[in-house]
């Protein structure tokens, strides 16, 4: 079980924010651009200095090293980065769970061949979907997703939503999903929050799965 | 020693060449005339000054003065390293890391060479110590400055890549692998190139000087080989130290990239 507790989080003069995300819960996060949604996720992943405390299963983020924490509390940035020439070089040589890794590849519409593709030929949508697979390799227990479907077509949006919801069920993961799409927020299920004027406000609740 | 002494008139004659360069930069709008003249002026003054200091040092000064001059040279090299960076650490960090790296590599290597290789009495005799330190520091400074500049430039440009790697759970050391390699390489290349070209493209300055002053060529060559090894190792280890310390300083205890530490 992976319950995420945020207690009085303060960053970049915003906050304090408090929020609890249960295992298997999805919190949808909206708000005007510049309100600090991405910064909120960055603070949760301990990429920016922040005040307050973040607990995972009752343990403080400080009790892990930065990299250990970020392997558990995984942030998917709005725009992914690629630094080697080939796709496969960005993936672990020996994934923890090979069969589920290749199953996920298929769910997002890729064949195993994709690992030999060069980064230069990827479209932005392909990069985004591969970035998702790359992130899930670490088997994180908390997912922080910054508009993961913003540049995907409806078919791939559907695939990505299904992938994340399945993963969440299998790994009892807690999920924070930044989206501007109200319909998507409803499909995801859990509570809806809005960040505005430095406040985190509960604005509604989606349908329960 | 059968060197032909140069007169002030001889130097004035050669300075006409620099003057000509400064003048031709005017119609070309290089906007460098002032800089060329300033550099020429500084080189004259600084070298004359060090000439007098060395003359005094060789004849009468004790180890305390030699140590003081060494530290003065070290701090100037440190200042030069931080002056050559386009992006800088805030505060004294750039100067401190550069100076520390040069101190940790140049000084032990100098003492090693004086006591184990040259082995004269006393080991700190300034006629050997000061010129050797000067060559070591000068080359180490170039390597450190180049490596450091490349490090800060690349980190600034690739900050999103570094952070994406951190998001995937890499340590700061892993996320910096390529940048560190490239920075150290760029600091090392000039020395490696100099060793490659020595004797077939260029005649190194110190060896040429010894030959001009009347040393037998083979003696001069042996000294030059020793110097090449020294400055190769000095600039190599100095660059490795500076790039490693600098890279560490860009991350905090939570292994977050802290670019606000640069200005």
């Amino acid at each position: 079980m992976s319950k995420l507790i945020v207690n009085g989080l303060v960053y970049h003069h915003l906050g304090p924010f408090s929020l609890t995300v249960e295992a298997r819960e999805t919190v949808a996060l909206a708000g005007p651009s510049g309100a600090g949604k991405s910064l909120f996720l960055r603070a949760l992943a301990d990429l920016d200095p922040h005040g307050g405390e973040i607990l995972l299963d009752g343990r403080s983020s400080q009790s892990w090293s930065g990299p250990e924490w970020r392997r558990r509390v995984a942030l998917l940035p709005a725009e992914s980065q690629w630094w080697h020439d080939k796709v496969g070089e960005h993936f672990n040589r020996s994934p923890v769970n090979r069969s589920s890794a290749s199953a996920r590849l298929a769910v997002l519409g890729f064949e195993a061949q994709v690992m030999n593709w060069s980064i230069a030929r990827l479209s932005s949508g392909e990069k985004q979907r591969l970035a998702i697979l790359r992130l899930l390799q670490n088997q994180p227990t908390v997912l922080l997703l910054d508009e993961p479907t913003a540049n995907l077509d409806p078919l791939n949006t559907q695939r990505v939503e299904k992938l994340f919801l399945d993963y969440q069920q299998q790994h009892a993961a807690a999920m924070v999903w930044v989206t501007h799409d109200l319909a998507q927020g409803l499909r995801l299920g859990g509570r809806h929050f809005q960040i505005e004027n430095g406040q985190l406000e509960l604005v509604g609740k989606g349908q329960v799965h | 020693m059968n060197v032909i002494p140069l007169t002030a008139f001889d130097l004035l004659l050669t300075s006409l060449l620099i003057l000509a360069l400064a003048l031709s930069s005017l119609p070309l709008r290089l906007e460098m005339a002032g800089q060329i003249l300033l550099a020429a002026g500084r080189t004259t003054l600084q070298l004359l000054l060090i000439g007098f200091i060395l003359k005094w040092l060789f004849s009468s000064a004790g180890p305390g003065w030699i140590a003081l001059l060494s530290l003065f040279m070290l701090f100037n090299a440190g200042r030069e390293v931080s002056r050559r960076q386009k992006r800088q650490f805030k505060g004294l960090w750039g100067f401190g890391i550069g100076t520390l790296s040069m101190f940790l590599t140049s000084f032990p290597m100098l003492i090693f060479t004086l006591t184990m290789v040259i082995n004269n009495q006393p080991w700190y005799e300034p006629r050997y110590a000061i010129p050797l330190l000067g060559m070591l520091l000068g080359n180490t400074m170039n390597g450190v400055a180049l490596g450091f500049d490349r490090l800060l430039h690349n980190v600034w440009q690739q900050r999103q890549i570094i952070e994406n790697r951190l998001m995937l759970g890499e340590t700061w050391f892993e996320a910096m692998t390529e940048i560190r390699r490239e920075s150290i390489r760029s600091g090392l290349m000039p020395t490696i190139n100099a060793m490659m070209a020595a004797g077939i493209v260029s005649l190194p300055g110190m060896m040429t000087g010894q030959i001009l002053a009347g040393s037998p060529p083979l003696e001069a060559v042996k000294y030059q080989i020793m110097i090449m090894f020294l400055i190769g190792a000095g600039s190599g280890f100095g660059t490795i130290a500076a790039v490693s310390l600098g890279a560490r300083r860009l991350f905090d205890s939570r292994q977050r990239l802290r670019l606000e530490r640069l200005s």
Side-chain angles (χ1 to χ4, degrees), chain B residues 107-157:
Chain B
F107 280 71
M109 285 173 54
L110 175 70
I111 292 170
F112 165 78
T113 310
L114 290 174
T115 56
M116 310 289 285
V117 183
I118 297 179
N119 206 8
N120 59 334
Q121 291 298 328
W123 63 270
Y124 52 81
E125 194 194 334
R127 192 161 71 90
Y128 287 89
I130 296 298
L132 280 177
L133 180 66
M135 279 186 285
L136 247 168
L137 271 181
N139 285 279
T140 307
M141 175 186 82
N142 282 333
V144 166
L146 281 171
F148 223 57
D149 189 51
R150 179 60 67 91
L151 173 77
L152 301 187
H153 174 83
N154 278 359
V155 167
W156 188 270
Q157 280 212 318

Side-chain angles (χ1 to χ4, degrees), chain A residues 110-121:
Chain A
F110 290 112
E111 290 171 18
Q113 263 316 97
V114 73
M115 291 298 157
N116 298 324
W117 288 7
S118 81
I119 296 300
R121 62 168 280 193

Side-chain angles (χ1 to χ4, degrees), chain B residues 78-94:
Chain B
R79 248 190 39 197
E80 186 67 16
V81 165
S82 60
R83 201 184 62 84
R84 288 190 198 172
Q85 310 307 313
K86 211 171 127 213
R87 301 219 172 269
Q88 307 247 2
F89 278 108
K90 282 184 188 156
L92 282 174
W93 281 93

